[in-house]
Amino acid sequence: MAEVDPQGRVSKPLIFQAAALVLTYPEEELLTRLGTIGSALAGTGAAEQFADVLTHLGGKSLSKLQSFHIQEFDLSRRHALHLTYWTDGDTRRRGEVLAEIKQIYRESGLLVDTGGELPDFLPMMLEFAVADPARGVALLQRFRASLELLRLGLVKDGLPHAGVLAAVCGCLPGESPQSHAEVQARY
């Protein structure tokens, strides 16, 4: 059963774990977990935010889902899941920030397998926030501008993943900005 507070909001770890799963490159294993993800979120404030992506993932063939993911998240910079891209682009500074993230993972004492991904890959950072809430949530907050810019891009382009980013941002302190200008002004 999902941990829910009196207002019907689901726990941060559940949102972070569910988001990590639905934002990764889709494999057959994910498709078999969609019912479990939906059941875990049922009756919570996050269920509606995940509804579009769960429908999307459950309504297409695996090959179409994989093609969609590659097109929207791997080839399009507008929806980059690597958070330092949003703040540092392809610069030398980005390499330094990636090294800092790796150091945070090391300091946690957890064995973090990047699986060939850069350490700023959002699903990995979300899973880290489940395993080490203090460091993980602080890391997500550090990249709040990236999360918000990604969220705004998904909303603008009408992607079903927009609600997932809204749920993640909703777990962090403060209200979400409504425009790119607000993101730049706040962060």
Side-chain angles (χ1 to χ4, degrees):
M1 188 68 164
E3 181 183 328
V4 178
D5 71 12
Q7 289 79 36
R9 293 180 301 218
V10 68
S11 71
K12 288 179 190 179
L14 179 57
I15 288 175
F16 293 159
Q17 187 62 60
L21 290 169
V22 301
L23 291 171
T24 58
Y25 181 76
E27 298 284 356
E28 188 64 42
E29 183 179 359
L30 170 63
L31 301 184
T32 65
R33 291 181 173 185
L34 293 177
T36 302
I37 295 167
S39 294
L41 295 168
T44 70
E48 189 175 317
Q49 292 173 307
F50 278 79
D52 287 345
V53 79
L54 292 176
T55 299
H56 166 77
L57 291 168
K60 293 182 175 41
S61 70
L62 181 59
S63 63
K64 286 186 181 189
L65 291 170
Q66 289 172 336
S67 293
F68 178 88
H69 187 89
I70 290 168
Q71 187 63 40
E72 296 298 336
F73 296 107
D74 296 340
L75 299 178
S76 171
R77 293 182 178 196
R78 291 190 335 235
H79 309 131
L81 294 175
H82 292 90
L83 298 185
T84 60
Y85 171 77
W86 294 95
T87 54
D88 298 295
D90 289 324
T91 65
R92 182 177 184 173
R93 167 83 179 124
R94 184 176 184 203
E96 295 167 5
V97 175
L98 291 170
E100 290 172 16
I101 296 169
K102 278 187 176 180
Q103 185 60 34
I104 291 168
Y105 290 164
R106 276 189 220 103
E107 289 170 357
S108 74
L110 298 169
L111 178 61
V112 178
D113 178 11
T114 63
E117 277 291 349
L118 294 173
D120 66 334
F121 183 54
L122 179 55
M124 185 183 315
M125 292 176 82
L126 290 165
E127 288 186 0
F128 181 68
V130 172
D132 187 333
R135 285 184 181 100
V137 171
L139 195 56
L140 289 171
Q141 185 63 27
R142 176 178 171 184
F143 291 97
R144 180 69 181 267
S146 301
L147 292 167
E148 296 291 0
L149 290 170
L150 174 57
R151 179 186 61 80
L152 290 169
L154 294 171
V155 168
K156 179 182 177 190
D157 294 339
L159 267 63
H161 302 74
V164 175
L165 264 291
V168 168
C169 291
C171 291
L172 302 174
E175 295 291 317
S176 284
Q178 299 305 307
S179 69
H180 283 82
E182 281 185 53
V183 172
Q184 291 174 333
R186 275 193 215 175
Y187 306 104

Coordinates of all heavy atoms in Angstrom, one line a residue, residues 25-31 57 59-69:
Y25 N 14.3 4.4 -20.6 CA 14.1 3.8 -21.9 C 13.2 2.6 -21.7 O 13.5 1.7 -20.9 CB 15.4 3.4 -22.5 CG 15.3 2.7 -23.9 CD1 15.1 3.5 -25.0 CD2 15.5 1.4 -24.0 CE1 15.0 2.9 -26.3 CE2 15.4 0.8 -25.3 CZ 15.2 1.5 -26.4 OH 15.1 1.0 -27.7
P26 N 12.1 2.5 -22.4 CA 11.1 1.4 -22.1 C 11.6 0.0 -22.6 O 12.1 -0.1 -23.7 CB 9.9 1.8 -22.9 CG 10.3 2.9 -23.9 CD 11.6 3.4 -23.4
E27 N 11.5 -0.9 -21.7 CA 11.8 -2.3 -22.0 C 10.6 -3.1 -21.6 O 9.7 -2.6 -20.9 CB 13.0 -2.8 -21.1 CG 14.3 -2.0 -21.4 CD 15.0 -2.5 -22.7 OE1 14.5 -3.4 -23.4 OE2 16.0 -1.8 -23.1
E28 N 10.6 -4.4 -22.0 CA 9.4 -5.3 -21.7 C 9.1 -5.3 -20.2 O 8.0 -5.3 -19.8 CB 9.7 -6.7 -22.2 CG 8.5 -7.6 -22.1 CD 7.4 -7.2 -23.0 OE1 7.6 -6.7 -24.2 OE2 6.2 -7.2 -22.5
E29 N 10.2 -5.3 -19.4 CA 10.0 -5.3 -17.9 C 9.2 -4.2 -17.4 O 8.3 -4.3 -16.5 CB 11.3 -5.4 -17.2 CG 11.2 -5.5 -15.7 CD 12.6 -5.6 -15.0 OE1 13.6 -5.5 -15.7 OE2 12.6 -5.6 -13.8
L30 N 9.4 -3.0 -18.0 CA 8.6 -1.8 -17.6 C 7.1 -2.0 -17.9 O 6.2 -1.8 -17.1 CB 9.1 -0.5 -18.2 CG 8.2 0.7 -18.1 CD1 8.1 1.1 -16.6 CD2 8.7 1.8 -19.0
L31 N 6.8 -2.6 -19.1 CA 5.5 -2.8 -19.5 C 4.7 -3.7 -18.5 O 3.5 -3.6 -18.3 CB 5.4 -3.3 -20.9 CG 6.0 -2.3 -21.9 CD1 5.8 -2.8 -23.3 CD2 5.5 -0.9 -21.8
L57 N 2.2 4.5 -22.2 CA 3.1 3.3 -22.1 C 2.3 2.0 -22.3 O 2.8 1.0 -22.9 CB 3.9 3.3 -20.8 CG 4.9 4.3 -20.6 CD1 5.5 4.4 -19.2 CD2 6.1 4.1 -21.6
G59 N -0.4 1.7 -24.1 CA -1.2 1.7 -25.3 C -0.5 1.6 -26.6 O -1.1 1.7 -27.7
K60 N 0.8 1.3 -26.6 CA 1.6 1.2 -27.8 C 2.5 0.0 -27.7 O 2.8 -0.5 -26.7 CB 2.4 2.5 -28.0 CG 1.6 3.7 -28.3 CD 2.6 4.9 -28.5 CE 1.9 6.2 -28.9 NZ 0.6 6.5 -28.3
S61 N 2.9 -0.4 -28.9 CA 3.9 -1.6 -28.9 C 5.2 -1.1 -28.3 O 5.5 0.1 -28.3 CB 4.1 -2.1 -30.3 OG 4.8 -1.1 -31.1
L62 N 6.0 -2.1 -27.9 CA 7.3 -1.8 -27.3 C 8.2 -1.1 -28.3 O 8.8 -0.1 -28.0 CB 8.0 -3.1 -26.8 CG 9.3 -2.9 -26.2 CD1 9.3 -1.9 -25.0 CD2 9.9 -4.2 -25.8
S63 N 8.2 -1.5 -29.6 CA 9.0 -0.8 -30.5 C 8.6 0.6 -30.8 O 9.5 1.5 -30.9 CB 9.0 -1.6 -31.9 OG 7.8 -1.6 -32.4
K64 N 7.3 0.9 -30.8 CA 6.8 2.3 -30.9 C 7.2 3.1 -29.7 O 7.6 4.3 -29.9 CB 5.3 2.3 -31.2 CG 5.0 1.9 -32.6 CD 3.5 2.1 -32.9 CE 3.3 1.6 -34.3 NZ 2.0 1.9 -34.8
L65 N 7.1 2.5 -28.5 CA 7.5 3.3 -27.3 C 9.0 3.6 -27.3 O 9.4 4.7 -27.0 CB 7.1 2.5 -26.1 CG 5.7 2.3 -25.8 CD1 5.5 1.3 -24.7 CD2 5.0 3.6 -25.4
Q66 N 9.8 2.6 -27.8 CA 11.2 2.8 -27.8 C 11.6 3.9 -28.8 O 12.4 4.8 -28.6 CB 11.9 1.5 -28.1 CG 11.9 0.6 -26.9 CD 12.4 -0.8 -27.2 OE1 12.4 -1.3 -28.4 NE2 12.8 -1.6 -26.2
S67 N 10.9 3.9 -30.0 CA 11.2 4.9 -31.0 C 10.8 6.3 -30.5 O 11.5 7.3 -30.7 CB 10.4 4.6 -32.3 OG 10.9 3.4 -32.9
F68 N 9.7 6.4 -29.8 CA 9.2 7.6 -29.3 C 10.2 8.1 -28.2 O 10.6 9.3 -28.3 CB 7.8 7.4 -28.6 CG 7.3 8.6 -27.9 CD1 6.5 9.5 -28.7 CD2 7.5 8.9 -26.6 CE1 6.0 10.7 -28.1 CE2 7.0 10.0 -26.0 CZ 6.2 10.9 -26.7
H69 N 10.7 7.3 -27.4 CA 11.6 7.7 -26.3 C 12.9 8.2 -26.9 O 13.4 9.2 -26.5 CB 11.9 6.5 -25.4 CG 12.7 6.9 -24.2 ND1 12.2 7.3 -23.0 CD2 14.1 6.9 -24.1 CE1 13.2 7.6 -22.2 NE2 14.3 7.4 -22.8

